[in-house]
């Protein structure tokens, strides 16, 4: 037996991304613990959390709404990696890797949302 969301590739990718972001946040300076580290962790975890919440017993309209929340959380993560790059916590190569992963996941989320019935 499994939950419906566990089969979703977008949820699986969001879960993986959350773990990658967790590892990244551990490299930030201690002074960022309650600022950028906390924000990027909450936002990255929120992507998968909203996918799962929207898929359980919700109407199609509710599911679309929660996918929208996931997309918004993903946008927060993008802004956080920009902040990390500007503060020299990550280099350009790291930034590009995270950015490409986030962009790909965003496209997957938008496509998934567009397939949900109106």
């Amino acid at each position: 037996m499994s939950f419906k969301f566990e089969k979703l590739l977008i949820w699986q990718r969001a879960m993986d991304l959350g773990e990658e972001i967790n590892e990244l946040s551990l490299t930030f300076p201690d002074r960022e613990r309650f600022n950028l580290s906390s924000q990027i962790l909450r936002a990255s975890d929120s992507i998968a959390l909203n996918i799962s919440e929207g898929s359980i017993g919700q109407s199609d309209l509710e599911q679309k709404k929660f996918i929208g929340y996931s997309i918004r959380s993903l946008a927060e993560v993008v802004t956080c990696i920009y902040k990390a790059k500007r503060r020299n916590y990550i280099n350009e190569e790291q930034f590009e890797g995270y950015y490409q992963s986030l962009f790909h996941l965003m496209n997957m989320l938008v496509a998934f949302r567009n397939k949900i019935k109106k």
Side-chain angles (χ1 to χ4, degrees), residues 10 17 30 34 43 46-47 49 56 63 69 71-72 75 77 82 92 98-99 107 114:
I10 55 172
L17 179 68
D30 286 343
F34 300 109
S46 184
I47 300 168
L49 290 166
I56 300 295
Q63 188 172 23
Y69 295 155
I71 293 167
R72 288 176 183 93
V77 177
Y82 268 105
E92 185 66 32
Y98 289 112
Y99 188 90
N107 286 331
N114 289 342

Side-chain angles (χ1 to χ4, degrees), residues 3-112:
F3 290 95
K4 183 170 100 174
F5 62 83
E6 292 176 281
K7 297 174 185 152
L8 295 174
L9 186 56
I10 55 172
W11 179 80
Q12 295 167 13
R13 292 268 170 93
M15 289 292 289
D16 292 342
L17 179 68
E19 297 314 306
E20 291 170 23
I21 295 296
N22 181 59
E23 289 298 314
L24 171 65
S25 73
L26 296 173
T27 68
F28 292 171
D30 286 343
R31 69 178 180 272
E32 291 289 4
R33 190 152 141 221
F34 300 109
N35 189 23
L36 190 59
S37 295
S38 175
Q39 186 65 36
I40 199 170
L41 285 171
R42 287 182 288 115
S44 65
D45 285 347
S46 184
I47 300 168
L49 290 166
N50 280 303
I51 294 167
S52 60
E53 187 172 355
S55 75
I56 300 295
Q58 305 292 331
S59 67
D60 288 340
L61 186 60
E62 280 290 300
Q63 188 172 23
K64 277 184 117 161
K65 182 171 79 172
F66 279 94
I67 295 299
Y69 295 155
S70 290
I71 293 167
R72 288 176 183 93
S73 294
L74 188 145
E76 283 186 60
V77 177
V78 171
T79 300
C80 287
I81 64 166
Y82 268 105
K83 289 286 190 185
K85 184 176 85 164
R86 285 176 166 223
R87 295 175 187 175
N88 296 313
Y89 304 155
I90 60 174
N91 61 37
E92 185 66 32
E93 184 179 339
Q94 291 170 301
F95 173 83
E96 283 299 323
Y98 289 112
Y99 188 90
Q100 290 303 317
S101 293
L102 288 159
F103 188 76
H104 182 67
L105 180 55
M106 186 211 43
N107 286 331
M108 291 173 68
L109 288 165
V110 169
F112 182 81

